[in-house]
Amino acid sequence: MLLVLSAEHRAHLGCLPRAGGAAIGELGRLALEQLRRGAAPRACETAARKLNIGVDTIQHGVEGLVYLLTESSKLMISEVDFQDSIHVLGFSDEFNKSLLQLYLDNRKEIRSILGELAPRLPSYHSLEWRLDVQLASRSLRQQIKPAVTMKLYLNQNEDQTAQVLQTDPATLLHLIQQLEQALGEMKMNHCRRIVRNMK
């Protein structure tokens, strides 16, 4: 699976050769620090003075590296795919090897950081439901109006919350069919490969 880079990301990564092959380690360190703690303008200024390069070049290079490393780590792309993805940038073979080594050395840590940054979504705990049927009203003596009321209990951050939902049986049946279709698609080989790469 190749990583497709936008024109903006290519331009940011295009700043890297100006820093030189020896600077890839310094820029990689800055990129990892940015992932761990957020943007650090002072660190970029220090690196710019140290490498005798403009601060904007350093910042763009770090942003490009952050994108390259995070997207590659998310997809867990192989060495060959990573090399093919950066080959379009037109860097020298030695520079490409430095980028590859940076990726291989740090992809597990990057995936760990990204896992910590992922939002904690609520998880299912239990469900209570009730079927109500209105048989008549003052204006209509004979009518059948069914409604399904559900109370959905969710766990989030050690707390339990409840959501009350109400729908008619036809909408509920449609929702069940859509969920069953989605579960069926998850059993397809293409989806299995995607899920395997996400882990």
Side-chain angles (χ1 to χ4, degrees):
M1 177 184 296
L2 288 178
L3 179 64
V4 179
L5 299 167
S6 69
E8 180 185 6
H9 291 117
R10 283 185 190 186
H12 284 186
L13 288 166
C15 295
L16 293 176
R18 284 185 242 159
I24 207 69
E26 180 69 19
L27 294 176
R29 186 188 63 75
L30 286 172
L32 290 171
E33 281 299 311
Q34 186 167 328
L35 275 172
R36 288 185 200 113
R37 297 189 180 92
R42 284 193 177 161
C44 287
E45 290 170 10
T46 304
R49 280 194 302 273
K50 184 176 167 184
L51 299 169
N52 200 22
I53 304 168
V55 176
D56 287 344
T57 303
I58 295 289
Q59 286 175 335
H60 288 312
V62 169
E63 288 170 16
L65 268 179
V66 166
Y67 178 80
L68 178 69
L69 294 173
T70 54
E71 292 303 311
S72 300
S73 299
K74 270 187 214 172
L75 300 171
M76 282 300 281
I77 62 176
S78 67
E79 290 182 38
V80 173
D81 289 339
F82 185 85
Q83 286 175 325
D84 289 344
S85 298
I86 61 173
H87 182 72
V88 298
L89 298 170
F91 297 154
S92 67
D93 288 342
E94 188 177 320
F95 201 85
N96 285 345
K97 284 178 186 173
S98 299
L99 284 174
L100 175 64
Q101 197 58 49
L102 182 68
Y103 166 64
L104 293 175
D105 291 345
N106 297 294
R107 66 180 167 188
K108 287 183 182 173
E109 182 184 356
I110 293 169
R111 280 185 67 83
S112 170
I113 292 169
L114 293 175
E116 291 170 12
L117 295 175
R120 302 282 183 243
L121 299 174
S123 61
Y124 171 82
H125 181 265
S126 63
L127 176 76
E128 295 175 5
W129 63 275
R130 182 179 75 219
L131 177 65
D132 296 317
V133 180
Q134 184 177 349
L135 299 174
S137 65
R138 287 184 188 172
S139 58
L140 290 170
R141 299 245 181 233
Q142 291 183 337
Q143 70 174 5
I144 297 177
K145 190 176 175 186
V148 179
T149 305
M150 297 168 279
K151 193 168 190 180
L152 180 63
Y153 292 94
L154 302 170
N155 292 329
Q156 185 170 22
N157 300 331
E158 307 298 321
D159 295 329
Q160 194 175 85
T161 59
Q163 300 287 326
V164 178
L165 310 164
Q166 190 172 43
T167 186
D168 60 285
T171 304
L172 185 60
L173 282 173
H174 178 70
L175 181 61
I176 290 168
Q177 289 170 349
Q178 292 297 311
L179 289 172
E180 286 175 346
Q181 181 182 351
L183 284 172
E185 288 177 5
M186 283 299 293
K187 294 176 183 171
M188 294 172 62
N189 288 335
H190 178 67
C191 288
R192 284 183 180 167
R193 264 196 309 271
I194 292 171
V195 170
R196 206 171 32 246
N197 285 330
M198 287 171 61
K199 290 179 180 175

